Amino acid sequence: MIGMASRAESAAATRRALLDAAAELLDSGGPEAVTLRAVGARAGVTRGAPYGHFPDKDSLLTTIAAEALERLADDVEPVRTDPRMLAAEKLQRALAALMTIGRRQPHLYRLMFTSPVGDPAVVSAAVKAGDRAQGEFMAIVDDLVGGQDTRRFAALLLTSVHGITDMEVNGHLSEDKWHVTAEELVSTLVSMIDRQARGG
Amino acid sequence: MIGMASRAESAAATRRALLDAAAELLDSGGPEAVTLRAVGARAGVTRGAPYGHFPDKDSLLTTIAAEALERLADDVEPVRTDPRMLAAEKLQRALAALMTIGRRQPHLYRLMFTSPVGDPAVVSAAVKAGDRAQGEFMAIVDDLVGGQDTRRFAALLLTSVHGITDMEVNGHLSEDKWHVTAEELVSTLVSMIDRQARGG
DNA sequence: ATCATACAGTTGACACTGTCATCTGAGACG
DNA sequence: CGTCTCAGATGACAGTGTCAACTGTATGAT
């Protein structure tokens, strides 16, 4: 570091380094690779240091999931509020953002959709972040279907796209078995919901 | 045991006891509770005994998943071949069978939809079991949609219902947030697909 | 400028895990 | 009856999450 930091700043930097290190280990080696010793080493500290910033390992992982959910919400928000986009296009982009996480960071994706564990405060933060991301999706769907049965269609879309992504990530959607890509499934689903919402 | 067994029979019984013990521990305490020592103890044997029947812990877990998938296929098969049922009813029952596992044995459900790990032979057996279960669903959907776009609709149904179940299991589908039950979502989905398959 | 304090991070220890090499004892078979 | 085979027991080892005790340094009061 060029500008040396106050103690609080330095501690915050360590906390960030721990989160980044853990996230990197998760991405590259899966949950098995995320050991407090490895996290500490990669963050330039020792195995016990994380306990100064997180109550336990579960809370560290849950915090990573919460941050990823916040990031997702941050990515979707500008799409939702963009006045130059049609609702259908907004939805397509929002869903693509979700599926991209699944493909590029499968382990992180799993973490994001697993019930959070660890310290109650951390768990509550993760739930809040998840709610925010869900809220963004719901608002876009509401725009799309015009307020009619918003929750039902939003829930159906989100759960279905999650299922598609999750099964693809776990290798249960192999191209040569189903002769269908995840994108085709999503677009089929969206067009069906679109038709259903307009029609009767 | 009343009838004392030959050595081979006794070994087979131990293997079964190990699988049952592990499955019970998984159901009641989640993956964390499934330790080889606990499994051995519950099966009346010591911590090293499982290695006489399974190459490693992953293979033991994967075998449990494979058996669950076989059981699911065994449950769906008679439904599929029942000549007195309509295709729509068959589908409803098959999907209900899947969701019931998610609700009654959430940890087992997770295991069934996670990419299998462990000994190649065991993994391959699990994949085969999964394919059989998927085949049962696909056959029912084929019956329902009349051969038109079978794979597409079957894949969409299976992935969506999995997503619904998975999110419900992980607490991301709370009633007071979405105002929708999993059943409503599934029936909406099925009726949409039904309409789509008949219509244009 | 000096000193006491708070606190980030280190270190040693503990119970627990999966795994393997080795050993033991009882069923299988000549 | 004697030999062999193999299911299971046992001892050991490296690696894990976790905590209590310790250390050193930036902070803030005097």
Side-chain angles (χ1 to χ4, degrees), chain B residues 7 14 45-49 53:
Chain B
R7 184 150 68 167
T14 298
V45 103
T46 56
R47 97 237 143 180
H53 302 270

Short mmCIF file of all heavy atoms in Angstrom, two decimals, chain B residues 7 14 45-49 53, chain D residues 5-12:
data_model
loop_
_atom_site.label_atom_id
_atom_site.label_comp_id
_atom_site.label_asym_id
_atom_site.label_seq_id
_atom_site.Cartn_x
_atom_site.Cartn_y
_atom_site.Cartn_z
N ARG B 7 -21.11 -65.69 5.15
CA ARG B 7 -20.25 -64.51 5.22
C ARG B 7 -20.65 -63.47 4.18
O ARG B 7 -20.70 -62.27 4.46
CB ARG B 7 -18.79 -64.92 5.03
CG ARG B 7 -17.87 -63.75 5.18
CD ARG B 7 -16.53 -64.14 5.71
NE ARG B 7 -15.77 -64.93 4.75
CZ ARG B 7 -14.47 -65.18 4.89
NH1 ARG B 7 -13.83 -64.72 5.95
NH2 ARG B 7 -13.83 -65.89 4.03
N THR B 14 -24.21 -55.71 6.11
CA THR B 14 -23.44 -54.58 6.62
C THR B 14 -23.47 -53.42 5.64
O THR B 14 -23.68 -52.26 6.00
CB THR B 14 -21.98 -55.01 6.88
OG1 THR B 14 -21.96 -56.03 7.86
CG2 THR B 14 -21.17 -53.83 7.36
N VAL B 45 -20.80 -50.90 13.62
CA VAL B 45 -19.50 -51.26 13.09
C VAL B 45 -18.57 -50.09 13.35
O VAL B 45 -19.01 -49.05 13.84
CB VAL B 45 -19.73 -51.57 11.59
CG1 VAL B 45 -19.27 -50.46 10.71
CG2 VAL B 45 -19.19 -52.92 11.20
N THR B 46 -17.31 -50.21 13.12
CA THR B 46 -16.39 -49.12 13.47
C THR B 46 -16.04 -48.24 12.27
O THR B 46 -16.39 -48.54 11.14
CB THR B 46 -15.09 -49.66 14.07
OG1 THR B 46 -14.53 -50.58 13.15
CG2 THR B 46 -15.37 -50.32 15.40
N ARG B 47 -15.31 -47.17 12.58
CA ARG B 47 -15.14 -46.11 11.57
C ARG B 47 -14.48 -46.58 10.29
O ARG B 47 -14.72 -46.01 9.23
CB ARG B 47 -14.39 -44.96 12.24
CG ARG B 47 -12.93 -44.83 12.09
CD ARG B 47 -12.24 -44.83 13.46
NE ARG B 47 -10.99 -45.57 13.30
CZ ARG B 47 -10.11 -45.81 14.20
NH1 ARG B 47 -10.31 -45.41 15.43
NH2 ARG B 47 -9.04 -46.49 13.95
N GLY B 48 -13.64 -47.59 10.34
CA GLY B 48 -12.91 -48.01 9.16
C GLY B 48 -13.68 -48.98 8.26
O GLY B 48 -13.30 -49.22 7.12
N ALA B 49 -14.75 -49.54 8.81
CA ALA B 49 -15.48 -50.60 8.10
C ALA B 49 -16.02 -50.16 6.74
O ALA B 49 -15.98 -50.95 5.78
CB ALA B 49 -16.61 -51.11 8.98
N HIS B 53 -16.51 -51.50 1.80
CA HIS B 53 -17.68 -51.54 0.91
C HIS B 53 -17.73 -50.37 -0.07
O HIS B 53 -18.38 -50.49 -1.12
CB HIS B 53 -18.96 -51.56 1.74
CG HIS B 53 -19.05 -52.72 2.69
ND1 HIS B 53 -19.63 -53.92 2.34
CD2 HIS B 53 -18.60 -52.88 3.96
CE1 HIS B 53 -19.54 -54.77 3.36
NE2 HIS B 53 -18.93 -54.15 4.36
P DT D 5 -5.76 -67.80 0.11
OP1 DT D 5 -5.58 -68.20 -1.29
OP2 DT D 5 -4.72 -67.02 0.81
"O5'" DT D 5 -7.15 -67.04 0.25
"C5'" DT D 5 -8.33 -67.82 0.55
"C4'" DT D 5 -9.45 -66.92 1.02
"O4'" DT D 5 -9.59 -67.00 2.46
"C3'" DT D 5 -9.27 -65.44 0.69
"O3'" DT D 5 -10.52 -64.90 0.36
"C2'" DT D 5 -8.72 -64.87 1.99
"C1'" DT D 5 -9.49 -65.70 3.02
N1 DT D 5 -8.84 -65.84 4.35
C2 DT D 5 -9.62 -65.98 5.48
O2 DT D 5 -10.82 -66.00 5.46
N3 DT D 5 -8.91 -66.11 6.65
C4 DT D 5 -7.53 -66.11 6.80
O4 DT D 5 -7.00 -66.24 7.90
C5 DT D 5 -6.78 -65.95 5.58
C7 DT D 5 -5.29 -65.93 5.63
C6 DT D 5 -7.45 -65.82 4.42
P DC D 6 -10.67 -63.57 -0.57
OP1 DC D 6 -11.31 -63.98 -1.84
OP2 DC D 6 -9.37 -62.88 -0.57
"O5'" DC D 6 -11.70 -62.71 0.27
"C5'" DC D 6 -12.64 -63.36 1.14
"C4'" DC D 6 -12.84 -62.55 2.41
"O4'" DC D 6 -11.85 -62.92 3.39
"C3'" DC D 6 -12.70 -61.03 2.23
"O3'" DC D 6 -13.72 -60.42 3.00
"C2'" DC D 6 -11.34 -60.74 2.84
"C1'" DC D 6 -11.39 -61.74 4.01
N1 DC D 6 -10.09 -61.98 4.68
C2 DC D 6 -10.09 -62.39 6.02
O2 DC D 6 -11.17 -62.55 6.60
N3 DC D 6 -8.91 -62.60 6.63
C4 DC D 6 -7.77 -62.41 5.97
N4 DC D 6 -6.62 -62.64 6.62
C5 DC D 6 -7.74 -61.98 4.61
C6 DC D 6 -8.93 -61.78 4.01
P DA D 7 -14.65 -59.23 2.37
OP1 DA D 7 -15.49 -59.78 1.28
OP2 DA D 7 -13.73 -58.12 2.11
"O5'" DA D 7 -15.61 -58.84 3.57
"C5'" DA D 7 -16.35 -59.87 4.25
"C4'" DA D 7 -16.50 -59.52 5.72
"O4'" DA D 7 -15.28 -59.79 6.43
"C3'" DA D 7 -16.83 -58.06 6.00
"O3'" DA D 7 -17.72 -57.99 7.11
"C2'" DA D 7 -15.47 -57.45 6.32
"C1'" DA D 7 -14.75 -58.60 6.98
N9 DA D 7 -13.31 -58.61 6.72
C8 DA D 7 -12.68 -58.33 5.54
N7 DA D 7 -11.37 -58.43 5.60
C5 DA D 7 -11.12 -58.79 6.91
C6 DA D 7 -9.93 -59.06 7.60
N6 DA D 7 -8.71 -59.00 7.05
N1 DA D 7 -10.02 -59.41 8.91
C2 DA D 7 -11.25 -59.49 9.46
N3 DA D 7 -12.44 -59.26 8.91
C4 DA D 7 -12.30 -58.92 7.62
P DG D 8 -18.36 -56.60 7.55
OP1 DG D 8 -19.69 -56.88 8.14
OP2 DG D 8 -18.22 -55.68 6.42
"O5'" DG D 8 -17.40 -56.12 8.71
"C5'" DG D 8 -17.29 -56.90 9.89
"C4'" DG D 8 -16.07 -56.48 10.67
"O4'" DG D 8 -14.89 -56.70 9.88
"C3'" DG D 8 -16.02 -55.01 11.08
"O3'" DG D 8 -16.23 -54.93 12.48
"C2'" DG D 8 -14.63 -54.54 10.66
"C1'" DG D 8 -13.90 -55.84 10.37
N9 DG D 8 -12.85 -55.71 9.37
C8 DG D 8 -12.99 -55.38 8.05
N7 DG D 8 -11.85 -55.35 7.39
C5 DG D 8 -10.90 -55.67 8.36
C6 DG D 8 -9.50 -55.80 8.25
O6 DG D 8 -8.79 -55.64 7.25
N1 DG D 8 -8.93 -56.15 9.46
C2 DG D 8 -9.62 -56.35 10.63
N2 DG D 8 -8.92 -56.68 11.70
N3 DG D 8 -10.93 -56.24 10.75
C4 DG D 8 -11.51 -55.90 9.58
P DA D 9 -15.83 -53.55 13.29
OP1 DA D 9 -16.69 -53.51 14.49
OP2 DA D 9 -15.82 -52.42 12.35
"O5'" DA D 9 -14.35 -53.84 13.77
"C5'" DA D 9 -14.09 -54.97 14.60
"C4'" DA D 9 -12.75 -54.83 15.32
"O4'" DA D 9 -11.68 -54.86 14.34
"C3'" DA D 9 -12.56 -53.51 16.09
"O3'" DA D 9 -11.81 -53.78 17.28
"C2'" DA D 9 -11.79 -52.64 15.10
"C1'" DA D 9 -10.96 -53.65 14.32
N9 DA D 9 -10.78 -53.31 12.91
C8 DA D 9 -11.76 -53.00 12.01
N7 DA D 9 -11.30 -52.75 10.80
C5 DA D 9 -9.93 -52.90 10.92
C6 DA D 9 -8.89 -52.77 10.00
N6 DA D 9 -9.07 -52.45 8.71
N1 DA D 9 -7.63 -52.99 10.44
C2 DA D 9 -7.45 -53.32 11.73
N3 DA D 9 -8.36 -53.47 12.68
C4 DA D 9 -9.59 -53.25 12.21
P DT D 10 -11.57 -52.54 18.31
OP1 DT D 10 -11.49 -53.15 19.65
OP2 DT D 10 -12.54 -51.47 18.03
"O5'" DT D 10 -10.12 -52.02 17.90
"C5'" DT D 10 -9.08 -52.96 17.72
"C4'" DT D 10 -7.81 -52.25 17.27
"O4'" DT D 10 -7.82 -52.05 15.84
"C3'" DT D 10 -7.58 -50.87 17.89
"O3'" DT D 10 -6.32 -50.86 18.52
"C2'" DT D 10 -7.66 -49.90 16.71
"C1'" DT D 10 -7.24 -50.80 15.56
N1 DT D 10 -7.72 -50.37 14.22
C2 DT D 10 -6.83 -50.24 13.19
O2 DT D 10 -5.63 -50.45 13.31
N3 DT D 10 -7.37 -49.86 11.98
C4 DT D 10 -8.71 -49.59 11.72
O4 DT D 10 -9.08 -49.26 10.60
C5 DT D 10 -9.59 -49.75 12.84
C7 DT D 10 -11.07 -49.50 12.68
C6 DT D 10 -9.07 -50.12 14.02
P DG D 11 -5.89 -49.56 19.47
OP1 DG D 11 -5.33 -50.12 20.70
OP2 DG D 11 -7.00 -48.61 19.54
"O5'" DG D 11 -4.70 -48.91 18.63
"C5'" DG D 11 -3.76 -49.78 17.98
"C4'" DG D 11 -2.80 -48.99 17.14
"O4'" DG D 11 -3.37 -48.76 15.82
"C3'" DG D 11 -2.44 -47.60 17.68
"O3'" DG D 11 -1.06 -47.35 17.44
"C2'" DG D 11 -3.34 -46.67 16.89
"C1'" DG D 11 -3.43 -47.38 15.54
N9 DG D 11 -4.67 -47.14 14.81
C8 DG D 11 -5.95 -47.09 15.33
N7 DG D 11 -6.87 -46.88 14.42
C5 DG D 11 -6.16 -46.76 13.24
C6 DG D 11 -6.62 -46.52 11.93
O6 DG D 11 -7.78 -46.35 11.54
N1 DG D 11 -5.56 -46.48 11.02
C2 DG D 11 -4.24 -46.66 11.34
N2 DG D 11 -3.38 -46.58 10.33
N3 DG D 11 -3.80 -46.89 12.56
C4 DG D 11 -4.80 -46.93 13.46
P DA D 12 -0.38 -45.95 17.89
OP1 DA D 12 1.00 -46.29 18.29
OP2 DA D 12 -1.28 -45.23 18.83
"O5'" DA D 12 -0.31 -45.12 16.52
"C5'" DA D 12 0.22 -45.78 15.36
"C4'" DA D 12 0.08 -44.87 14.16
"O4'" DA D 12 -1.29 -44.91 13.69
"C3'" DA D 12 0.41 -43.39 14.44
"O3'" DA D 12 1.42 -42.98 13.55
"C2'" DA D 12 -0.91 -42.67 14.21
"C1'" DA D 12 -1.66 -43.61 13.27
N9 DA D 12 -3.13 -43.53 13.36
C8 DA D 12 -3.89 -43.61 14.50
N7 DA D 12 -5.18 -43.51 14.28
C5 DA D 12 -5.27 -43.35 12.91
C6 DA D 12 -6.37 -43.19 12.05
N6 DA D 12 -7.63 -43.15 12.46
N1 DA D 12 -6.10 -43.05 10.73
C2 DA D 12 -4.83 -43.09 10.31
N3 DA D 12 -3.72 -43.24 11.03
C4 DA D 12 -4.01 -43.36 12.33
#
